[in-house]
Amino acid sequence: MSLTPRANDPWARLRGLTPARIGLERAGASLATGPLLALRLAHARARDAVDAELDVPRLRDDLGGTVLSVASAAPDRRSYLLRPDLGRQLTSDAAATLGHHAEAWDLAIAVVDGLSAGAVQAHAAPLLGVLGPSLQAEGWRLAPAVVVCQGRVAIGDAVATCLHAGAVLVLIGERPGLSAPDSMGAYLTWRPGAATTDADRNCLSNIRPAGLPPADAARKIAWMLGRMRARGFSGVRLKDDADDPRLSGPG
């Protein structure tokens, strides 16, 4: 069977506008060979993304400046996947390492492998390259960036607590999908601590060139952090109206 798309396929133009699988060719009750092989390839890429390891030395070089690297309480990838609670905790050695750098920082930044190490490997440095100078120009005192292996979103609370930071930004590899194995998320929390819940966070997701480009995400994160600092809270009470034309003033 040929894998070449059928002539005069009415779905062909629409498929070029979205990564969604629409109007797939069928053979009886099953997918045709071409779409089936593409689906299996996407599934394999998603599995590979979950199992991939973060190249910490290369990421530290990409980030530049002072970068700390620590690990969660999950001793290996299998434990990380089976015990999400361990991925939210720092080891005692990690906590001690961060404690040596504790000051009254305004913001801690944690770069966490999550479920797609490749996502933060590719997109964290470009995002922070735009965000860092922007925040420093606004007077933010930024703690050294922290790279965390085998981490979950909530480990950012522990990182901020150890560093004595008033807010935390967690850049983390998101759960891979069948159209995006390299999507990164950004979670922002004001005054994080042991009692912090997911309702206290704000999130930007699908950060990648084919989704929300890292430079655009950096500008939105800077805007949201400014709102958090002005209002003194984050989470469900803080509405993301950065693109609301009413906030642009007369024009």
Side-chain angles (χ1 to χ4, degrees):
M1 176 183 291
S2 172
L3 301 184
T4 304
R6 293 173 299 169
N8 303 319
D9 181 355
W11 291 96
R13 184 181 66 83
L14 295 177
R15 288 195 202 97
L17 302 176
T18 175
R21 290 171 171 77
I22 58 174
L24 299 181
E25 186 177 359
R26 305 191 70 84
S30 304
L31 287 175
T33 301
L36 179 60
L37 292 178
L39 181 65
R40 289 181 175 176
L41 176 60
H43 185 253
R45 286 173 173 164
R47 290 177 62 93
D48 287 347
V50 171
D51 292 332
E53 294 185 4
L54 193 61
D55 186 340
V56 175
R58 181 162 68 89
L59 180 57
R60 294 180 66 166
D61 288 342
D62 291 344
L63 293 175
T66 302
V67 180
L68 310 176
S69 56
V70 297
S72 77
D76 51 49
R77 199 63 177 169
R78 178 176 172 80
S79 300
Y80 170 80
L81 294 173
L82 294 177
R83 291 282 306 276
D85 58 310
L86 296 180
R88 302 184 185 107
Q89 307 168 36
L90 291 170
T91 64
S92 57
D93 288 345
T97 296
L98 298 181
H100 292 313
H101 298 267
E103 291 186 28
W105 302 110
D106 294 323
L107 179 69
I109 299 173
V111 182
V112 185
D113 52 4
L115 291 170
S116 177
V120 294
Q121 195 89 58
H123 311 318
L127 186 152
L128 293 177
V130 175
L131 179 64
S134 174
L135 293 179
Q136 290 173 332
E138 294 294 326
W140 288 78
R141 296 189 68 243
L142 304 181
V146 180
V147 175
V148 185
C149 292
Q150 315 288 19
R152 302 275 177 173
V153 171
I155 205 165
D157 304 335
V159 168
T161 298
C162 291
L163 291 172
H164 296 177
V168 65
L169 165 65
V170 176
L171 300 178
I172 188 169
E174 295 184 309
R175 180 181 292 107
L178 293 179
S179 61
D182 64 339
S183 179
M184 183 174 74
Y187 291 81
L188 303 92
T189 312
W190 187 257
R191 304 298 183 207
T196 298
T197 69
D198 287 342
D200 300 313
R201 312 186 199 285
N202 292 87
C203 174
L204 292 178
S205 62
N206 196 31
I207 299 172
R208 59 191 181 98
L212 177 62
D216 292 344
R219 286 186 282 270
K220 179 161 282 195
I221 290 169
W223 182 91
M224 294 178 69
L225 286 170
R227 270 301 183 78
M228 289 178 186
R229 182 164 62 172
R231 297 190 175 190
F233 57 78
S234 59
V236 295
R237 293 185 295 163
L238 185 70
K239 303 305 179 185
D240 179 7
D241 48 9
D243 299 321
D244 190 330
R246 294 173 296 179
L247 301 178
S248 304

